[in-house]
């Protein structure tokens, strides 16, 4: 993730809670981001954005050729480099960018899946890298600490897109990596630790399966 989009983020005040016995319970990996919402691409409500969005969906249609509508839209990752986005970002701006962050790319992926008629959801993730990588990224990107709120030591906040694969089963498309995330992957570099699935108008009672994981919509769930 790479975003100063989320104004609702809580201030990090309670990394450690006590469990009542006087012992310290370690914080959930998603604690820093638990009130964040999936990134959105904004619309001016005018032709500028309508044309831009139409360009994305029609380009997807031609990139897809005759392939399955469940194919991951990898062309988005080839068109846009993964990097900083500033929010709000409008459709007419986003299509002209050379770099987009994972939240913006996930929003584009969601739009093309919707245009293809594939039911899909927004997916927020927490992954573990090493502190060496995360501090190297923060140095090389030279971002302000405000923009680096998506990192927390060796943890990073990330976004993707989930598609319905039948019977409440989902597949997770990592739009900025350009691959499907393996639900059986184990701990390790880049390991996925927690996910949160949401979508406009999605019932809070909805539940899903991803590999061996079963989880409810709208709630952060540990998957590792
Ligand atoms: Zn990311
Ligand atoms: Zn516009």
């Amino acid at each position: 993730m790479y975003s100063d989009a989320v104004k609702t983020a809580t201030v990090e005040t309670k990394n450690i809670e006590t469990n009542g016995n006087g012992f310290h319970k370690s914080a959930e990996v998603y604690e820093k981001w638990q009130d964040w919402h999936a990134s959105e691409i904004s619309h001016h409500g005018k032709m500028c954005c309508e044309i831009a969005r139409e360009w994305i969906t029609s380009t997807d249609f031609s990139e897809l050729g005759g392939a399955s509508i469940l194919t991951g839209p990898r062309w988005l990752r080839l068109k846009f480099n993964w990097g900083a986005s500033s929010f709000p970002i409008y459709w007419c701006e986003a299509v002209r960018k050379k770099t987009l962050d994972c939240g913006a790319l996930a929003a584009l992926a969601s739009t093309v899946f919707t245009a293809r008629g594939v039911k899909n959801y927004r997916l927020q993730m927490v992954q573990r890298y090493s502190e060496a990588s995360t501090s190297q990224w923060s140095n090389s990107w030279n971002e302000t600490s405000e923009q680096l709120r998506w990192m927390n030591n060796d943890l990073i906040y990330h976004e993707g897109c989930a598609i319905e694969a039948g019977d409440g089963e989902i597949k997770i498309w990592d739009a900025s990596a350009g691959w499907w995330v393996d639900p059986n992957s184990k701990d390790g570099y880049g390991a996925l630790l927690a996910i949160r699935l949401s979508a406009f108008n999605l019932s809070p009672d909805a539940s899903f399966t991803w590999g061996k994981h079963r989880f409810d919509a709208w709630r952060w769930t540990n998957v590792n």
Side-chain angles (χ1 to χ4, degrees):
M1 188 51 187
Y2 207 149
S3 166
D4 57 357
V6 191
K7 303 300 184 199
T8 55
T10 47
V11 182
E12 229 183 321
T13 49
K14 46 183 182 95
N15 266 337
I16 307 278
E17 293 169 359
T18 53
N19 65 6
N21 296 323
F23 293 108
H24 287 288
K25 187 176 88 151
S26 57
E28 297 288 0
V29 292
Y30 49 80
E31 176 147 348
K32 180 174 179 178
W33 303 290
Q34 60 188 348
D35 296 325
W36 285 30
H37 301 291
S39 307
E40 301 283 355
I41 297 178
S42 306
H43 197 295
H44 281 122
K46 296 181 191 156
M47 284 311 286
C48 53
C49 286
E50 207 46 46
I51 289 165
R53 189 161 64 180
E54 175 64 27
W55 183 84
I56 289 287
T57 55
S58 62
T59 303
D60 181 65
F61 186 74
S62 54
E63 292 285 336
L64 194 57
S68 162
I69 56 172
L70 303 181
T71 306
R74 191 167 284 112
W75 70 271
L76 287 170
R77 177 59 185 83
L78 301 175
K79 164 143 181 66
F80 302 102
N81 291 316
W82 175 58
S85 293
S86 52
F87 289 82
I89 186 168
Y90 289 85
W91 278 97
C92 58
E93 300 163 349
V95 296
R96 290 195 200 100
K97 297 284 186 195
K98 288 197 169 61
T99 64
L100 290 175
D101 80 356
C102 58
L105 285 166
L108 291 180
S110 172
T111 298
V112 309
F113 278 123
T114 300
R116 295 177 191 178
V118 176
K119 191 160 194 186
N120 67 88
Y121 311 94
R122 305 301 307 280
L123 210 278
Q124 296 167 278
M125 301 178 251
V126 175
Q127 288 175 290
R128 172 167 283 134
Y129 285 90
S130 64
E131 284 200 42
S133 334
T134 52
S135 62
Q136 192 187 5
W137 293 336
S138 35
N139 292 337
S140 63
W141 287 335
N142 196 24
E143 295 296 323
T144 65
S145 57
E146 175 70 10
Q147 285 168 306
L148 290 172
R149 291 183 307 148
W150 57 279
M151 284 184 194
N152 187 14
N153 300 319
D154 60 345
L155 301 174
I156 69 158
Y157 172 86
H158 189 50
E159 289 188 28
C161 180
I163 66 162
E164 182 90 45
D167 276 344
E169 184 87 37
I170 59 152
K171 287 175 70 183
I172 298 175
W173 177 250
D174 185 328
S176 39
W179 61 52
W180 297 99
V181 183
D182 179 2
N184 299 312
S185 72
K186 288 289 167 211
D187 210 13
Y189 187 75
L192 182 55
L193 304 184
I195 58 175
R196 178 179 180 268
L197 180 149
S198 62
F200 183 67
N201 275 347
L202 178 63
S203 161
D205 299 328
S207 64
F208 297 88
T209 55
W210 181 55
K212 65 183 189 307
H213 307 289
R214 185 156 184 84
F215 61 96
D216 295 328
W218 297 103
R219 294 165 67 160
W220 278 105
T221 307
N222 292 307
V223 293
N224 210 324

